[in-house]
Amino acid sequence: MRFKSLQSVQEYLESIPKFQSKGSSAAKFDLSRFRNFCDTIGNPQQEFDSIHVAGTNGKGSTCNILASVFQKAGYKTGVYTSPHIITFDERFRINNDVISSDELLQFFNTYIDIIEEYELTYFEISTAIAFWWFARSSVDIACIEVGLGGRLDATNIVDPEISVITSISLDHTDILGDSITAITREKAGILKEGRPVVIGELPMEAQNEIVEIAEQKECPLYTIGDLNPEYIRPGHYQLTVDDRTINISSNLTSPIQAKNMAVAWQVCSVLGDKYGRITEENFISGLERVNTGFGRFEQLVDGKQWYFDGGHNLEAVKVLKESIKMVGNTENATLVLSLMRDKIREEVMAEFLEFKNIYYYSLDLERAATFDDIKQWLPKANPFPASDEDRKKLMQDDFDSELVIFSGSFYFYETVRDWVSTFALNQ
């Protein structure tokens, strides 16, 4: 097979089952095939230093914070995150530049036969591209976000300088286990013998589990408690270091980012001997502008209180509600929701009941929850209009001066952006 254009690559990728649409049936939780594939292409993951970041929430933001700091300190820094929100190339960045179409074509034309021999999944292909591109680009360090869990995630064949677990709550319980302890064991599967680990603010049972695993593997363990991360107001945060207050100004606005910043500070402190150019000044200036991608309490239209946030589990929804307090209150806000069926949990749905009005939109994906699926949990919900005309009328008339939160799945983002773009054109 020979690829002549990026479109042909995209068509090939679309033919592969994705977790986005199929759920766990699209995954293969066995690292042996992927290890063998990477061994066949020369083990690119061994050619650069890495920071491996797991967690229920906050792992993508933490990767981007770290990348911004390392880049500010003068290191050539790669970032691999997933899923992408709009285009596939978003998953791969070096110093804020995404992978080029030519490089994607080169990867597929070089390795397609081996990819098919090892029957790689969509996520495994994506991870292989990241390893290959970072190696051939000679990055100094790469921030690698775990896709799902940790122990059996394709990214877990890296041998990182440090492992990070940002947060742990109940999510993907059909795959990772239905208790905090079980999920913690899966995420702690990224800990490597003798390598340091930094953890964020975790439930006590999760922290105790990681302490035990870290002791078994002789991993030095660092927490963020002594840093007293504090959100002051949108874009302003504080950390306490050796009884000193460090003030941080950033384009990041969500209260939860204070904890992600604290995790990043600990990582930089632990790696300070090897990456000595990361000074306090570089850390602070690196946080002034962080490339966090799309869909994290993002204001969709200037002058309107319309926001998108991909809150889809209990911890993330609580963080969303804290973010809403910056611009209004939940009780007076309208929610437009779209979820995957496997994300429906009683405690999550109960959090959504506080919204004044609720609309539900079902994405055209096999995993997507239908209106009937959520109606029993959200009895006051109404279906979001399917027709362009009805949707336009609702957004023009009812939403115009309202606080509106589009939320649920990150896979909902592109649809919402299309609606907003159409709305803007009709103004």
Side-chain angles (χ1 to χ4, degrees):
M1 183 185 298
R2 178 84 182 164
F3 297 95
K4 296 182 179 179
S5 68
L6 186 58
Q7 182 178 347
S8 61
V9 167
Q10 291 169 336
E11 288 170 355
Y12 174 77
L13 288 169
E14 287 301 316
S15 72
I16 301 172
K18 296 187 289 295
F19 186 85
Q20 165 186 345
S21 54
K22 296 290 186 180
S24 58
S25 64
K28 295 178 181 177
F29 298 107
D30 170 20
L31 292 183
S32 61
R33 290 174 308 96
F34 189 61
R35 284 187 192 278
N36 290 337
F37 170 85
C38 287
D39 186 54
T40 301
I41 69 170
N43 286 314
Q45 77 280 2
Q46 297 177 5
E47 296 182 28
F48 55 88
D49 291 349
S50 61
I51 300 170
H52 200 196
V53 184
T56 304
N57 297 299
K59 54 187 182 290
S61 292
T62 300
C63 280
N64 288 315
I65 288 170
L66 284 165
S68 186
V69 171
F70 273 81
Q71 184 180 340
K72 181 62 71 170
Y75 295 103
K76 189 174 185 180
T77 309
V79 188
Y80 172 54
T81 57
S82 62
H84 63 271
I85 305 301
I86 298 178
T87 58
F88 181 72
D89 59 6
E90 292 168 29
R91 295 173 178 237
F92 322 95
R93 293 201 324 272
I94 296 176
N95 287 4
N96 287 331
D97 293 325
V98 298
I99 191 169
S100 70
S101 299
D102 287 345
E103 286 165 315
L104 281 172
L105 276 171
Q106 182 178 347
F107 174 84
F108 280 96
N109 282 324
T110 303
Y111 297 118
I112 185 59
D113 291 340
I114 311 172
I115 288 170
E116 298 202 324
E117 176 186 347
Y118 285 99
E119 298 181 334
L120 297 192
T121 66
Y122 188 97
F123 182 72
E124 287 168 342
I125 293 171
S126 174
T127 304
I129 293 169
F131 292 166
W132 170 82
W133 188 45
F134 294 158
R136 76 191 302 266
S137 302
S138 300
V139 299
D140 295 312
I141 194 163
C143 303
I144 307 292
E145 179 188 2
V146 169
L148 176 63
R151 181 175 65 93
L152 295 176
D153 189 78
T155 62
N156 201 28
I157 69 168
V158 297
D159 186 17
E161 299 298 305
I162 191 167
S163 301
V164 178
I165 300 177
T166 57
S167 66
I168 292 177
S169 62
L170 293 174
D171 198 12
H172 296 296
T173 53
D174 56 325
I175 300 169
L176 303 179
D178 59 2
S179 69
I180 291 294
T181 300
I183 291 172
T184 302
R185 290 190 188 117
E186 289 299 316
K187 295 190 185 298
I190 70 168
L191 272 63
K192 302 299 190 296
E193 294 284 344
R195 297 298 174 99
V197 57
V198 172
I199 60 174
E201 186 176 272
L202 308 182
M204 188 53 65
E205 58 191 303
Q207 182 160 324
N208 290 341
E209 188 72 23
I210 291 176
V211 167
E212 183 177 335
I213 294 169
E215 288 177 350
Q216 292 170 358
K217 295 190 173 185
E218 299 183 342
C219 299
L221 177 66
Y222 301 86
T223 65
I224 63 171
D226 291 344
L227 293 174
N228 298 314
E230 189 175 355
Y231 166 82
I232 307 302
R233 61 184 185 277
H236 296 272
Y237 304 85
Q238 285 183 352
L239 299 178
T240 302
V241 178
D242 298 330
D243 297 322
R244 292 186 302 112
T245 297
I246 296 177
N247 294 298
I248 297 168
S249 297
S250 177
N251 64 316
L252 303 175
T253 57
S254 174
I256 193 62
Q257 298 293 359
K259 295 174 185 176
N260 296 332
M261 291 174 186
V263 168
W265 175 276
Q266 288 292 49
V267 169
C268 293
S269 298
V270 173
L271 296 181
D273 287 345
K274 185 167 185 178
Y275 298 94
R277 297 204 301 265
I278 299 178
T279 63
E280 181 176 315
E281 290 72 24
N282 283 334
F283 185 88
I284 292 171
S285 60
L287 280 164
E288 288 176 357
R289 186 133 204 99
V290 178
N291 184 345
T292 57
F294 306 99
R296 291 166 174 84
F297 206 69
E298 176 187 346
Q299 187 173 11
L300 296 168
V301 181
D302 289 341
K304 294 193 182 297
Q305 286 191 302
W306 297 356
Y307 296 86
F308 186 95
D309 187 274
H312 56 263
N313 55 51
L314 183 60
E315 184 181 42
V317 174
K318 288 183 175 180
V319 169
L320 165 62
K321 290 164 76 172
E322 285 298 309
S323 297
I324 291 171
K325 290 179 182 178
M326 300 186 303
V327 295
N329 62 73
T330 308
E331 293 81 3
N332 291 327
T334 291
L335 173 69
V336 182
L337 182 67
S338 187
L339 283 173
M340 298 297 105
R341 189 179 295 106
D342 50 277
K343 298 296 183 181
I344 296 177
R345 299 184 63 88
E346 182 177 2
E347 62 270 26
V348 175
M349 306 308 277
E351 294 288 331
F352 290 132
L353 287 170
E354 291 183 30
F355 284 88
K356 179 180 69 173
N357 300 308
I358 302 174
Y359 293 90
Y360 187 78
Y361 181 82
S362 183
L363 291 168
D364 186 20
L365 296 172
E366 190 174 315
R367 275 180 70 206
T370 66
F371 180 74
D372 289 341
D373 289 331
I374 64 97
K375 184 65 174 176
Q376 61 176 312
W377 305 104
L378 303 175
K380 65 180 179 181
N382 292 300
F384 196 70
S387 77
D388 292 342
E389 193 60 37
D390 289 344
R391 187 163 52 243
K392 174 184 170 183
K393 186 175 187 304
L394 180 67
M395 294 177 74
Q396 281 185 334
D397 297 345
D398 294 8
F399 288 3
D400 187 56
S401 58
E402 290 285 302
L403 173 57
V404 183
I405 309 299
F406 297 85
S407 189
S409 173
F410 275 113
Y411 304 127
F412 187 32
Y413 180 85
E414 190 171 3
T415 298
V416 173
R417 290 297 325 184
D418 288 343
W419 292 345
V420 170
S421 298
T422 302
F423 173 86
L425 288 172
N426 289 323
Q427 292 301 291

